[in-house]
Amino acid sequence: MIKLLAILLTAGLAVIQGALPPSQLSSNLWTPHDVPTMADYERLVDLRSLAMEFYREFRNISTADVHLLGERIGPQDLQCLADMVQFMSALSAPKAWALKMLDAWGTIPSGYLIGNRVDMGNYRECMSEGGLLTSAQDIQGKYCFMELPVAKWLGFNSELLKEISIRTAVCLPSSCSASNMELYLKQLLKRLLGVSDVTNLFSISESSCRTKDRAPWDGLTIFTVVLLSVFGATVILCTLYDYFLCPEQDKLPRPIRAFSARATSRSLFTIVENSANPNVIHCLNGMRCMSLIWVIFSHEYIGNMKGPAMNPVDNLIWASQFFSSFILYGTLSVDTFFFIAGLLLVSIGLRSMEKNKGKLNVPLMYLHRYLRLTPVVALAILFFYKMIPLFADGPMYDDIGFFEYSACKKTWYWTLLYVQNYATSDVCVPHTWYLAVDMQLYLLSPILLIALYKWGKKAAGGILVVTLLLSACLFSTIMVNDFPVMFKTGIQAQVVQEKIYSATHTHAAPWLVGTMFGYLLHLIRGRRFKLSPLAVWAGWLLSLALLFTSIFALYPYSKLLGKSPTILEGALYYTLVRIAWPLGLCWVVFACMQGYGGLANSFLSSPLWQPLSKLSYGAYIWHIFVMEIANRSVQNNTYFSNYQMMRNFWSTFGFTLLVTYVLYVLIEAPLEALERMMFPNRRSPPAAKDQPQIEPRTDVVEQIDGMDPVEQIDSPTQSDLETSANKTETDLELSN
C-alpha cells in the first residue's frame, strides 16, 4: 500500500508541475521556456483527427506498396499489407466492420495540461466481429496504444515532464505487428508534424496490443475450475439433502452439515445478543470490522489514483487536504489487527493454560493454525494467478492492476510457508504479507505464553523491554539508511518496503502492546473499576489524542511543494506511531468493557457486526481480487473525487462480501468443519437446554487478526469462554 501511494503521488507530481503556472512552483523545476507557443499547441490539436488522417493517407494503398513495410519483409508483413488493402477498400465501400475499426481509434485527449494523458478510444468496438472476406481471410481488429511524448514537442524542459507521454488507441488488422503499425504511422506523422524524422516522436509497443484471441486454458487453470466445480457440486447436493431429506437439523450428518449452504448460512447470519460475560470483549467485533472497511476504502483510493483519470492533478490537490490523511495513513488499520491478535492470544491462551495446569500442546497448536489459514491462501494463489485473466479484460489490463501475479509461477511456495516477506522480493500475492507477519508472530507465541504463565509481571516487563528494543531497531534502520517515510519525498525503493514495512519486527510493537494489555485484562478479569467522570474524560481525551496524532502528525508537511520532514522527524513519527496507536486502542477496549464506552461501545459492540466479523478474513483476501477485476476491465477514463470514490467503495465492498460469502460457503466453511472433525474439542460439555444450537466456527481465519472471535453465544452462568459448547474453539484450546 505504501509503495503504491509513493509511485502514484510521485508520478502525479510530474503532472502537476506541468499544470500549474510557474509562479506557484519552485524555480528549480521550471525554466523560462516551459510554456509552449500557440503554434506548438496547434500541432498537438491537429492530431485529434488522427483516424481520418490515417484513412486519407492510405485509402489508395495497394499490394504493390511493399516499400511501406521497410527493408525486411516476411510472410507476416505481406499478410498485414494485404489486410490493410482490404481494410481501406472496405472503408471506401463502406463496410460496417471497417467503419467500426476506424471509429474505435482514440484521439488526443482534452485536458493534457491538467494531466489527462490517455484516450482509450473504443476497445470493444475494435475487438468486435471483423470482416469475413473469404473462408481463408478473416480480418479482426488489433487494439494498441501509441505513445506520443508530447511534452518534448511542446518545448517543456522539465525533466519529469519529458517522461510523460500521451497514449492514444489505434485499431488495425490483427495480422499487423506493432512494428508494422509504426511504419504506417511514421509516414502519416511526417506529414502531420512537418518533420523528416519522427522516430523519437512516437512509439507502439507490442506489449500494449490486445486481440480478441485468447490463449487456451493451461493445466492449472483447468484444475482451478474443476476444483471449484467439484466443491460447488458437493455443496449443492448436500444443501438439497439438507433441505428436502432432513427436516430435523439435529439429525443432520456432520459431513452433510459441513457442506450444506443452508446450515452454513444459518450459522453465519445468526446474530446473538451480547451478554455480561467478563471473558467476552464484544467491542472487538466492531473494531475489527471498522479496520477492515478502512483497509478496503484506502485501497479503493489507491486503485482509482492508479487508473486513467481525466483529472489527475486533482489527486495531488487532494493529497494536501485534511481528509486525505485518513487514506494516506490507512496502514494504521493493520496495526489494529496486530493489536487485537496479541490481546486475544494472551487473554484466551492464559485461561486455557490455567485449566490445563500450564500445559500447551505446541505442535497441535501450530497444526491447527496452519490448516485453518492455508486453504484460503492456496485458493487465493490460484485465483489471482489464473482466474483474473478469465474475468478481466480491458485496454489497460497490464497497466492499472494493483500487483503483478506472474511471480506466482516461481514463488508461490514461499506464500504457503508464510515467509514471503523475507524470502523473496517477488511476492506471489503481495497483500498476504500481513499473514506472513501474523504467522511468524504466532510461532513465537508459546514462548510468550509460557513466560507470562510462569513469571507473570516479570515476563510482562521483559515484553516491554523487547518492544522498546524493536522500536529502537526500527528507528535506527530509518536513520542509518536515510529512509523517507512521506510519500511526496519520492518513490520508496523495494529495499525500503522490505526493511521498514513488511518486515515482522517492524509490526511487532502493536502485537506486543496487545499481549501486555491482554495480560492486564487477564489479571483484572471479572473486576469492575469505578472511575470518576474526570478520569473517564481524561482517558478518552488521551486516547483520542494518541489516535488522531498518529493519523495527522504529518499533515503540516502535506503541501506538495512545501517542506518535508527531516529524516529524524520521519524516524520518530514512524517509530512512535507503532506504539501510540495500540496504546490509544487499549483505552477504547478498557472503557467499553468497564461500561465507560458510551456511544463508542454501543456502536462497536453491536451484534450486527457478528456476520461481517466472521467473514473479515475472507474479505481481506478477496477485496483485492474484486478491485483487480474492476480496474483491469476499465475501458474509459474515470473522474477522481471523494464522492466518486465513495460510490466506488460501496460497489467494491458489496461485491467483496458477495464473493467472500460464496467462497466461504463453497470452500472455507466445509474445510473448517472437516478440520473440526479431525481435531475435536473433547472438553466441551453439552450445551445448555435453553441455548439455541448453532454450529460454531472454530477457526482462526474468521477474523483478519488471526485469533478466533469472542462474540459467540454467551451464558451468564458460565465463567469462561472455553466451557460452553456454543463457544468458538481457539488455536489454544487443545487436547492434552
Side-chain angles (χ1 to χ4, degrees):
M1 182 173 177
I2 284 180
K3 182 180 180 181
L4 278 173
L5 281 170
I7 294 173
L8 296 175
L9 294 182
T10 304
L13 179 59
V15 176
I16 199 171
Q17 287 167 350
L20 296 178
S23 59
Q24 298 183 26
L25 298 166
S26 57
S27 58
N28 62 326
L29 293 176
W30 288 83
T31 68
H33 301 289
D34 280 329
V35 181
T37 65
M38 180 54 67
D40 292 326
Y41 188 72
E42 286 177 357
R43 295 165 63 197
L44 174 61
V45 175
D46 287 341
L47 293 178
R48 288 200 169 133
S49 59
L50 195 59
M52 288 306 302
E53 292 292 346
F54 183 83
Y55 167 66
R56 296 188 186 106
E57 183 76 22
F58 297 104
R59 60 186 171 184
N60 296 320
I61 190 174
S62 69
T63 54
D65 295 322
V66 292
H67 65 279
L68 296 173
L69 300 176
E71 298 179 356
R72 296 182 180 180
I73 302 175
Q76 189 65 29
D77 300 317
L78 294 175
Q79 182 63 51
C80 171
L81 178 59
D83 287 348
M84 277 291 296
V85 172
Q86 294 293 341
F87 177 37
M88 291 296 128
S89 177
L91 283 173
S92 300
K95 300 291 185 181
W97 65 267
L99 288 175
K100 287 182 179 179
M101 286 179 60
L102 191 67
D103 188 50
W105 280 51
T107 182
I108 303 302
S110 300
Y112 172 69
L113 296 182
I114 60 170
N116 189 15
R117 303 186 297 112
V118 180
D119 191 308
M120 288 181 273
N122 195 304
Y123 178 72
R124 290 298 174 191
E125 193 174 28
C126 179
M127 307 282 278
S128 62
E129 294 296 330
L132 181 59
L133 305 179
T134 67
S135 59
Q137 188 176 11
D138 180 16
I139 297 180
Q140 299 289 338
K142 182 175 185 176
Y143 181 101
C144 299
F145 274 116
M146 179 170 63
E147 299 273 349
L148 303 169
V150 182
K152 297 179 181 178
W153 306 358
L154 298 181
F156 288 107
N157 293 328
S158 169
E159 291 298 323
L160 290 173
L161 275 177
K162 288 181 180 179
E163 303 302 322
I164 298 177
S165 301
I166 281 179
R167 305 182 73 190
T168 189
V170 296
C171 182
L172 291 177
S174 59
S175 59
C176 296
S177 66
S179 59
N180 291 146
M181 295 182 185
E182 285 187 345
L183 290 172
Y184 291 124
L185 288 168
K186 181 182 292 186
Q187 178 173 321
L188 172 64
L189 291 177
K190 283 181 180 179
R191 178 174 63 84
L192 293 179
L193 299 177
V195 295
S196 58
D197 185 10
V198 294
T199 304
N200 297 322
L201 297 184
F202 84 104
S203 64
I204 300 177
S205 172
E206 191 69 43
S207 62
S208 72
C209 298
R210 298 183 70 82
T211 62
K212 188 177 181 180
D213 297 332
R214 292 290 178 267
W217 290 6
D218 59 11
L220 191 56
T221 303
I222 295 173
F223 170 78
T224 305
V225 174
V226 170
L227 178 67
L228 289 175
S229 301
V230 170
F231 273 92
T234 305
V235 168
I236 291 174
L237 292 175
C238 291
T239 303
L240 293 175
Y241 180 92
D242 178 10
Y243 194 83
F244 292 106
L245 301 179
C246 193
E248 298 182 22
Q249 291 297 299
D250 57 344
K251 296 182 180 180
L252 187 66
R254 292 192 69 185
I256 300 296
R257 181 189 296 272
F259 285 91
S260 171
R262 184 188 184 196
T264 300
S265 300
R266 183 187 298 110
S267 173
L268 177 63
F269 294 114
T270 298
I271 296 177
V272 182
E273 290 296 327
N274 297 334
S275 67
N277 191 327
N279 296 311
V280 180
I281 310 174
H282 299 290
C283 66
L284 295 185
N285 284 331
M287 191 177 293
R288 183 184 308 116
C289 294
M290 289 300 296
S291 296
L292 172 68
I293 292 172
W294 193 4
V295 168
I296 299 176
F297 190 53
S298 299
H299 283 165
E300 188 64 47
Y301 268 86
I302 295 173
N304 279 271
M305 285 192 289
K306 189 175 174 63
M310 64 179 64
N311 60 329
V313 167
D314 290 346
N315 294 350
L316 284 303
I317 298 173
W318 168 87
S320 300
Q321 295 174 350
F322 189 77
F323 169 77
S324 65
S325 294
F326 283 105
I327 309 302
L328 298 176
Y329 303 102
T331 52
L332 292 171
S333 58
V334 179
D335 289 339
T336 303
F337 298 136
F338 287 122
F339 166 76
I340 296 175
L343 188 161
L344 292 177
L345 172 77
V346 172
S347 60
I348 295 176
L350 289 180
R351 291 201 301 273
S352 178
M353 292 183 69
E354 286 183 349
K355 289 179 176 241
N356 298 325
K357 299 181 180 180
K359 296 180 180 178
L360 202 62
N361 192 332
V362 176
L364 189 57
M365 173 178 163
Y366 288 160
L367 181 61
H368 271 283
R369 179 72 162 200
Y370 189 82
L371 291 179
R372 291 169 180 177
L373 286 177
T374 306
V376 176
V377 176
L379 187 65
I381 292 174
L382 292 175
F383 263 59
F384 282 88
Y385 183 32
K386 289 300 180 181
M387 300 304 286
I388 287 179
L390 300 185
F391 289 104
D393 181 31
M396 301 189 71
Y397 176 90
D398 296 318
D399 300 321
I400 58 177
F402 261 90
F403 304 111
E404 174 56 49
Y405 301 103
S406 59
C408 290
K409 185 176 182 179
K410 297 182 179 180
T411 64
W412 59 271
Y413 53 91
W414 294 125
T415 301
L416 293 181
L417 293 174
Y418 301 99
V419 294
Q420 64 267 35
N421 59 327
Y422 285 112
T424 178
S425 298
D426 297 322
V427 181
C428 175
V429 183
H431 69 291
T432 59
W433 70 268
Y434 165 79
L435 299 179
V437 173
D438 189 63
M439 176 65 81
Q440 291 161 25
L441 291 173
Y442 189 80
L443 293 176
L444 300 175
S445 61
I447 301 175
L448 185 146
L449 287 171
I450 293 172
L452 287 174
Y453 180 80
K454 288 187 175 181
W455 297 294
K457 296 179 181 179
K458 293 182 179 179
I463 295 174
L464 175 61
V465 172
V466 171
T467 303
L468 296 177
L469 289 176
L470 290 176
S471 299
C473 177
L474 176 59
F475 177 84
S476 301
T477 301
I478 297 173
M479 290 295 297
V480 171
N481 296 281
D482 290 340
F483 286 155
V485 299
M486 277 201 81
F487 309 122
K488 72 173 185 177
T489 54
I491 299 176
Q492 291 185 337
Q494 181 70 27
V495 65
V496 180
Q497 299 298 310
E498 294 173 355
K499 288 190 175 182
I500 71 172
Y501 187 69
S502 59
T504 300
H505 64 276
T506 63
H507 286 282
W511 187 78
L512 291 173
V513 172
T515 61
M516 289 185 285
F517 185 63
Y519 178 68
L520 174 64
L521 295 182
H522 176 73
L523 294 178
I524 65 173
R525 68 184 187 277
R527 296 172 57 186
R528 285 287 178 180
F529 293 86
K530 188 174 182 179
L531 303 179
S532 65
L534 180 61
V536 173
W537 276 100
W540 275 109
L541 290 175
L542 180 59
S543 173
L544 293 176
L546 290 172
L547 297 179
F548 281 97
T549 300
S550 298
I551 297 174
F552 297 107
L554 295 183
Y555 174 70
Y557 301 102
S558 63
K559 290 186 178 180
L560 219 58
L561 300 175
K563 65 176 182 178
S564 297
T566 64
I567 294 298
L568 176 60
E569 291 171 333
L572 287 172
Y573 167 79
Y574 205 83
T575 303
L576 295 178
V577 75
R578 295 284 178 265
I579 299 177
W581 182 261
L583 286 178
L585 297 178
C586 288
W587 169 259
V588 175
V589 174
F590 178 81
C592 291
M593 291 182 66
Q594 294 293 325
Y596 301 110
L599 290 175
N601 183 49
S602 299
F603 178 74
L604 295 176
S605 300
S606 172
L608 296 177
W609 293 117
Q610 293 172 13
L612 178 57
S613 180
K614 299 171 187 177
L615 292 174
S616 57
Y617 171 70
Y620 175 77
I621 294 294
W622 301 119
H623 81 279
I624 294 291
F625 180 76
V626 172
M627 289 182 182
E628 289 281 18
I629 293 175
N631 293 343
R632 292 172 185 260
S633 300
V634 165
Q635 297 184 29
N636 58 279
N637 289 29
T638 59
Y639 180 78
F640 177 84
S641 69
N642 287 323
Y643 174 72
Q644 191 64 39
M645 293 306 98
M646 183 63 72
R647 289 182 57 193
N648 293 347
F649 161 74
W650 286 114
S651 173
T652 299
F653 188 62
F655 276 107
T656 296
L657 294 183
L658 178 61
V659 172
T660 301
Y661 168 71
V662 171
L663 293 177
Y664 171 73
V665 170
L666 291 181
I667 305 289
E668 192 176 346
L671 292 182
E672 292 166 9
L674 294 178
E675 194 267 345
R676 286 198 300 271
M677 297 178 198
M678 294 171 56
F679 304 101
N681 180 15
R682 62 178 184 169
R683 292 194 301 274
S684 297
K689 294 182 179 180
D690 57 348
Q691 289 286 338
Q693 297 299 310
I694 298 177
E695 183 72 14
R697 270 181 59 82
T698 65
D699 63 342
V700 297
V701 300
E702 68 183 53
Q703 55 176 319
I704 194 171
D705 56 77
M707 287 296 298
D708 286 314
V710 287
E711 77 272 37
Q712 303 297 319
I713 301 173
D714 305 310
S715 173
T717 61
Q718 295 171 340
S719 60
D720 213 322
L721 180 67
E722 295 83 8
T723 59
S724 171
N726 292 313
K727 292 298 179 185
T728 301
E729 178 191 5
T730 70
D731 289 333
L732 299 167
E733 186 69 4
L734 304 172
S735 302
N736 294 328

